[in-house]
Amino acid sequence: MCSVVNFNINGYHYKLPVIYGTFCEKAINISKLRESTGFITFDPGFKNTGITKSSISFIDGEKGELLYRGYPIEQIINQCSFIETSYLILNGELPNTAQLKSFSEKIKKFNSIHKEINKILDNIPNSYHPMGILSFLTHILDAFINNSLREEDLYLHLLAKLPILAALTYRKKIGLPPTYADPHLDYTSNLLKMFFSIPNQSYELNPIISDALNKILILHADHEQNCSTTTVRLLGSAHAGLFASISAGMSALWGKLHGGANQAVIEMLEAILKSGGNIKKWIEKAKNKKDPFRLMGFGHRIYKNFDPRAKIAKKVAENVIQQLGISDPILELAKDVERKALQDSYFLEKKLYPNIDFYSGIIYQAIGIPKEMFTVMFALGRLPGWMAHWKEMKLNKDPIGRPRQIYIGYKKRNIKKK
Ligand code: CMC
């Protein structure tokens, strides 16, 4: 393995150091490039830019593999709960029994919000999208948290309070009164109860639903330098606070090309169904470069093979629908769209496979979560990843994120008023 790369620019010879990751991912360290050559690199969308060294998750996009702290996602999904996964992602190792108990109890200690938050929520127009509300409430939560708390406690506060904010947002939308956390329940069961319990009625937990929710949250827990995580790290690099950074990450996640794709997928599938189910026509539309439409839930910057999360999500969707004894024409349609797209040379040549968002909405619908809340569920799942990256960014002492540009505007000129 080479430790430097040699190159020539205009007859001058330069050397730049090379750095390697655990799986021999290699990068040319260009941090001194401009200083020594006068050149910067140009990489819109950061397609070839590593912004940090990280040990939280690893994607092998060619093989379609995902590891959390070294553990394959397929093992985590079958052997861990979401809260164990959160501990793993935040702290680097899986918890033992005592550590898990203490982590869960500490989260429960922070399982309430200031009553002012309810008043603030009451004043937000009901027409506002739940992702906007969640991002706003997460930001303002900072005003109600004791500033002298240890950083580790801030993570626990967010893990405890985000489900409450999500549930309150949902309940306000549908006209249900505010709810409280139930300290006797585990994380996902509590989340379900906070969402769906109705005053003066006992809430019956369904273990099938609880298990499906647990799995879908795990699938979202981290995904290296995606758009929202990079947003969180960028804000943190400017020494913005944790809540402001996470709130900004949520806003990035809301975008349709990122987490907002889960809502867009179901809307697309419903539109296909409504327009007569002619899948071929929609696939042609997605291939047409003059049409801005894209097959939502397909394609990924890193995966050039199946997204392993999509494979698991498909199975979870099939299981939950079968176990609940419901029939879902959208699931059948989604499988048909996948089959037909993967027979099409456009998708094969461009290596466009279903991503996590293709099947996740079907799981949420089976659980009873409405479309507008899908990306909120993604945010609940991604929270440990965002926080772990924020923590890592601080430990790494990453410098403030500040890219350069190639200016193509006017040359220097003088104002001449007419
Ligand atoms: N439908 C049709 N064509 C597509 C699609 C699609 N879903 N995705 C990519 N392409 C084409 C694209 O037009 C381009 O073609 P060409 O080379 O001829 O110009 C080529 O494939 C490469 O696409 P790209 O946009 O340069 O790739 P990217 O890495 O910049 O974008 C993506 C990745 C996920 C934004 C994109 O695949 C996409 O828009 N997918 C649909 C939205 C979606 O499902 N997003 C969820 C992503 S996974 C979860 C998450 O991160 O939140």
Side-chain angles (χ1 to χ4, degrees):
M1 291 200 296
C2 58
S3 57
V4 289
V5 288
N6 295 286
F7 63 101
N8 286 304
I9 301 178
N10 298 336
Y12 291 95
H13 183 80
Y14 298 99
K15 281 180 187 195
L16 284 176
V18 176
I19 54 171
Y20 291 92
T22 308
F23 294 101
C24 289
E25 180 81 8
K26 43 194 184 296
I28 301 168
N29 183 344
I30 57 151
S31 51
K32 299 264 186 291
L33 184 70
R34 189 171 182 277
E35 201 178 298
S36 50
T37 69
F39 282 87
I40 61 166
T41 55
F42 187 64
D43 185 23
F46 310 132
K47 290 193 176 190
N48 287 291
T49 297
I51 60 153
T52 193
K53 290 182 189 167
S54 181
S55 52
I56 303 168
S57 57
F58 173 75
I59 304 170
D60 186 326
E62 276 69 38
K63 288 192 192 146
E65 282 178 359
L66 171 63
L67 311 178
Y68 290 168
R69 300 281 189 188
Y71 297 113
I73 186 69
E74 293 80 4
Q75 288 182 24
I76 295 187
I77 206 84
N78 288 319
Q79 296 180 46
C80 303
S81 66
F82 173 66
I83 215 65
E84 272 176 294
T85 310
S86 302
Y87 184 100
L88 168 72
I89 287 191
L90 266 171
N91 300 304
E93 296 295 340
L94 278 167
N96 61 29
T97 314
Q99 287 166 329
L100 181 61
K101 188 163 178 270
S102 146
F103 187 63
S104 306
E105 275 166 10
K106 280 185 197 156
I107 293 172
K108 285 179 183 176
K109 221 174 81 187
F110 299 130
N111 243 345
S112 63
I113 53 154
H114 197 284
K115 65 179 181 358
E116 289 292 320
I117 300 258
N118 279 311
K119 282 197 210 159
I120 293 167
L121 180 62
D122 270 346
N123 285 305
I124 299 176
N126 216 22
S127 56
Y128 198 32
H129 192 282
M131 274 307 279
I133 300 180
L134 188 72
S135 171
F136 171 66
L137 291 181
T138 303
H139 207 293
I140 209 144
L141 200 56
D142 204 7
F144 301 96
I145 305 284
N146 178 351
N147 279 333
S148 59
L149 280 178
R150 291 177 325 131
E151 203 169 287
E152 295 301 314
D153 284 338
L154 296 181
Y155 304 140
L156 300 170
H157 264 287
L158 274 171
L159 278 167
K161 289 180 168 52
L162 216 60
I164 306 178
L165 298 184
L168 288 176
T169 302
Y170 166 69
R171 295 174 74 90
K172 174 183 150 88
K173 283 261 164 202
I174 60 161
L176 276 174
T179 182
Y180 300 97
D182 183 339
H184 305 293
L185 295 177
D186 64 69
Y187 196 80
T188 36
S189 304
N190 176 49
L191 179 55
L192 285 168
K193 187 174 174 196
M194 285 197 294
F195 262 70
F196 299 121
S197 60
I198 291 174
N200 303 322
Q201 289 183 26
S202 61
Y203 179 73
E204 290 274 317
L205 269 167
N206 184 333
I208 299 167
I209 290 183
S210 215
D211 181 58
L213 180 59
N214 193 52
K215 288 194 161 68
I216 194 72
L217 292 178
I218 292 174
L219 287 182
H220 284 113
D222 192 46
H223 215 227
E224 48 127 292
Q225 306 306 321
N226 57 85
C227 182
S228 57
T229 300
T230 299
T231 302
V232 170
R233 288 188 85 121
L234 264 182
L235 261 85
S237 79
H239 294 189
L242 177 68
F243 291 69
S245 304
I246 300 288
S247 161
M250 286 171 182
S251 296
L253 185 75
W254 187 6
K256 267 194 193 164
L257 296 187
H258 191 11
N262 53 16
Q263 181 178 341
V265 167
I266 292 290
E267 283 164 356
M268 173 190 79
L269 292 170
E270 284 172 352
I272 297 178
L273 209 57
K274 207 170 155 203
S275 67
N278 186 344
I279 295 170
K280 250 188 133 202
K281 194 185 92 189
W282 287 81
I283 288 183
E284 289 310 314
K285 193 170 154 60
K287 286 158 59 178
N288 180 356
K289 294 289 164 202
K290 289 187 193 134
D291 191 326
F293 173 75
R294 284 186 165 196
L295 201 57
M296 299 310 287
F298 263 75
H300 197 274
R301 171 65 59 80
I302 310 290
Y303 293 116
K304 300 302 162 202
N305 198 328
F306 270 94
D307 176 342
R309 304 167 304 167
K311 280 193 199 168
I312 299 170
K314 183 180 180 181
K315 275 200 198 122
V316 175
E318 285 171 337
N319 283 345
V320 72
I321 279 170
Q322 190 226 328
Q323 286 176 311
L324 292 176
I326 47 183
S327 77
D328 186 352
I330 292 285
L331 173 62
E332 294 315 311
L333 177 69
K335 290 202 270 186
D336 218 11
V337 171
E338 176 187 343
R339 213 174 301 123
K340 291 207 167 78
L342 295 182
Q343 285 163 0
D344 192 296
S345 57
Y346 174 95
F347 288 87
L348 291 175
E349 278 158 22
K350 292 189 188 301
K351 300 191 170 129
L352 302 170
Y353 293 86
N355 58 52
I356 175 72
D357 293 320
F358 195 64
Y359 286 104
S360 63
I362 296 172
I363 302 172
Y364 295 136
Q365 277 196 331
I367 290 175
I369 310 272
K371 273 185 296 219
E372 265 206 322
M373 291 295 294
F374 288 179
T375 316
V376 166
M377 305 314 288
F378 190 152
L380 295 181
R382 184 54 53 85
L383 179 64
W386 286 332
M387 295 193 297
H389 281 271
W390 198 82
K391 184 176 171 183
E392 187 182 68
M393 176 274 311
K394 285 187 82 175
L395 287 173
N396 284 0
K397 297 195 168 59
D398 283 352
I400 185 167
R402 204 296 184 192
R404 284 183 177 267
Q405 63 170 17
I406 297 294
Y407 175 71
I408 55 162
Y410 285 111
K411 287 199 169 155
K412 193 169 170 183
R413 54 184 179 153
N414 295 317
I415 295 174
K416 283 182 194 139
K417 284 192 176 173
K418 285 177 190 146

